[in-house]
Amino acid sequence: MLKLNYKRIFFLILIVLILEAIFIFAGNASKKNESSQLQVVTTLFPLYDFVREVGGDKVNVTLLLPPGVEAHSYEPMPSDIVTINNSDLLIYTGKFMEPWVVDLNSGIGNSKLLLVDSSQNIELISASANQENSNLDPHIWLDFHNAEQMVKNISAALIMKDPSNTDSYQENSRIYLEKLAELDLQYQETLLNCQSKEIVYGGHYAFGYLAKEYNLSYYAAQGFSPDTEPTATDLVNLVNTVKQNKIKFIFYEELSSPKIAEMLASETNTKLLLLNTGHNLTKDDFNNGQTFIGLMQENLNNLITGLQCQ
């Protein structure tokens, strides 16, 4: 018969109780730390990354758009509304990119939620003559001066909601604005000396701001949304543009079918290169910590190849 060692049992029970107390204390401390952070929800990846840079450890930021999902087809789920309702700030691009936010504002139950339109003080442009002139282009972050203003708008909103951490937000914003200015300088210097000045894009019209800023010609197969289908005339015109300008590369977009770009490349005997709009990331890029500036530097590398820059 096994003889019980009551002292040992008592000691083990005591250890278990102590460990449980430690875990409970640590869990409460973690929850307290999390609750002390601003809870911020963003709609698109650039906003998510801007908040991450400016907010640092003072914020807990959530990207509504699931990695790998095309942004223009996104509509919030009931679980997304719950997430928004439990947050301090919802930061979005503007009414032309996320029109559902306007409807959301009237039905949200959290009176303390601050809705932040990051396009404030940014002049929106319309598309080129062969596109939808009646609409304004919502892809504002692809002009890095606009991105700087978006960061300033985000910083101001964080300070408004959490004035006790003003110094931190201002310093983080200053550092990140310098990085965006350096990115802009890289684009300016690099795209100044290119054999080609034409971007032919087998995707939706997203790079109007970038083309305008760096004096490039931009031709897109689709309108502001990937859901718009090009007409036969549109495609013929693009093929003729490629041939007349002796263009060697067709650019395609991320997270959408490249079939239009592939067709254009096949018709013109050209090659394909990715040009990332930055709306969202693939799951792998998101998990690997890709950044907005990282995406834009990859774009610049592909533009160097596609436009044959020195």
Side-chain angles (χ1 to χ4, degrees):
M1 183 177 177
L2 181 63
K3 185 177 180 180
L4 297 177
N5 187 331
Y6 292 103
K7 287 185 178 181
R8 180 177 174 80
I9 293 174
F10 176 78
F11 179 74
L12 291 174
I13 292 174
L14 182 61
I15 292 296
V16 169
L17 291 174
I18 291 173
L19 288 174
E20 284 184 349
I22 291 172
F23 290 142
I24 291 172
F25 176 81
N28 289 338
S30 177
K31 290 179 181 178
K32 183 178 180 181
N33 181 60
E34 182 177 327
S35 65
S36 68
Q37 294 177 306
L38 277 183
Q39 302 301 307
V40 183
V41 174
T42 61
T43 53
L44 300 183
F45 174 71
L47 301 172
Y48 172 85
D49 201 40
F50 297 162
V51 172
R52 188 166 56 176
E53 292 286 346
V54 175
D57 61 2
K58 309 301 182 185
V59 305
N60 179 47
V61 57
T62 300
L63 176 61
L64 275 187
L65 193 63
V69 172
E70 204 288 314
H72 289 272
S73 61
Y74 168 78
E75 291 184 3
M77 303 285 288
S79 58
D80 296 329
I81 304 302
V82 173
T83 299
I84 293 170
N85 200 38
N86 291 329
S87 300
D88 298 303
L89 300 95
L90 169 63
I91 301 177
Y92 64 108
T93 312
K95 64 181 181 180
F96 294 102
M97 187 72 214
E98 303 103 337
W100 55 266
V101 174
V102 178
D103 296 329
L104 175 72
N105 188 26
S106 60
I108 203 73
N110 181 0
S111 60
K112 296 181 180 180
L113 175 67
L114 179 63
L115 298 183
V116 182
D117 181 348
S118 66
S119 69
Q120 291 296 311
N121 301 315
I122 292 175
E123 182 179 356
L124 275 66
I125 64 173
S126 59
S128 62
N130 65 332
Q131 298 290 336
E132 306 144 291
N133 281 308
S134 60
N135 294 323
L136 294 175
D137 189 344
H139 305 89
I140 54 176
W141 60 90
L142 290 169
D143 178 331
F144 304 135
H145 296 292
N146 289 345
E148 290 174 5
Q149 183 59 51
M150 295 169 79
V151 169
K152 292 176 183 178
N153 291 339
I154 288 169
S155 179
L158 295 178
I159 290 171
M160 181 186 298
K161 202 69 175 177
D162 181 25
S164 63
N165 286 308
T166 294
D167 290 347
S168 176
Y169 298 138
Q170 288 181 336
E171 178 63 9
N172 290 345
S173 177
R174 182 191 66 77
I175 293 171
Y176 192 62
L177 288 172
E178 288 181 355
K179 293 179 181 179
L180 287 174
E182 176 61 27
L183 179 67
D184 172 53
L185 184 61
Q186 289 176 16
Y187 267 72
Q188 286 184 39
E189 293 178 345
T190 302
L191 298 179
L192 190 63
N193 300 303
C194 303
Q195 293 184 31
S196 176
K197 292 290 184 179
E198 291 81 22
I199 297 175
V200 176
Y201 198 57
H204 76 287
Y205 195 96
F207 287 92
Y209 289 96
L210 185 144
K212 180 181 179 181
E213 179 64 24
Y214 302 113
N215 298 314
L216 302 173
S217 297
Y218 177 57
Y219 308 90
Q222 298 164 280
F224 288 137
S225 170
D227 295 333
T228 57
E229 290 292 334
T231 66
T233 302
D234 292 334
L235 296 176
V236 169
N237 289 339
L238 282 175
V239 168
N240 289 337
T241 296
V242 172
K243 292 180 178 179
Q244 290 169 5
N245 292 283
K246 298 180 180 179
I247 292 169
K248 296 183 178 181
F249 290 88
I250 304 294
F251 292 95
Y252 68 96
E253 68 178 293
E254 79 292 354
L255 304 179
S256 295
S257 171
K259 64 179 182 179
I260 297 175
E262 290 172 345
M263 184 277 294
L264 290 172
S266 176
E267 287 290 325
T268 56
N269 194 30
T270 52
K271 298 178 181 179
L272 291 174
L273 280 172
L274 173 66
L275 202 57
N276 198 315
T277 63
H279 294 82
N280 197 8
L281 297 180
T282 64
K283 292 180 181 179
D284 285 345
D285 278 348
F286 187 82
N287 292 333
N288 290 332
Q290 178 62 287
T291 65
F292 173 75
I293 288 179
L295 284 180
M296 296 303 107
Q297 288 175 331
E298 290 180 1
N299 277 352
L300 182 57
N301 290 336
N302 283 347
L303 285 169
I304 290 171
T305 300
L307 303 183
Q308 303 166 74
C309 306
Q310 297 177 357

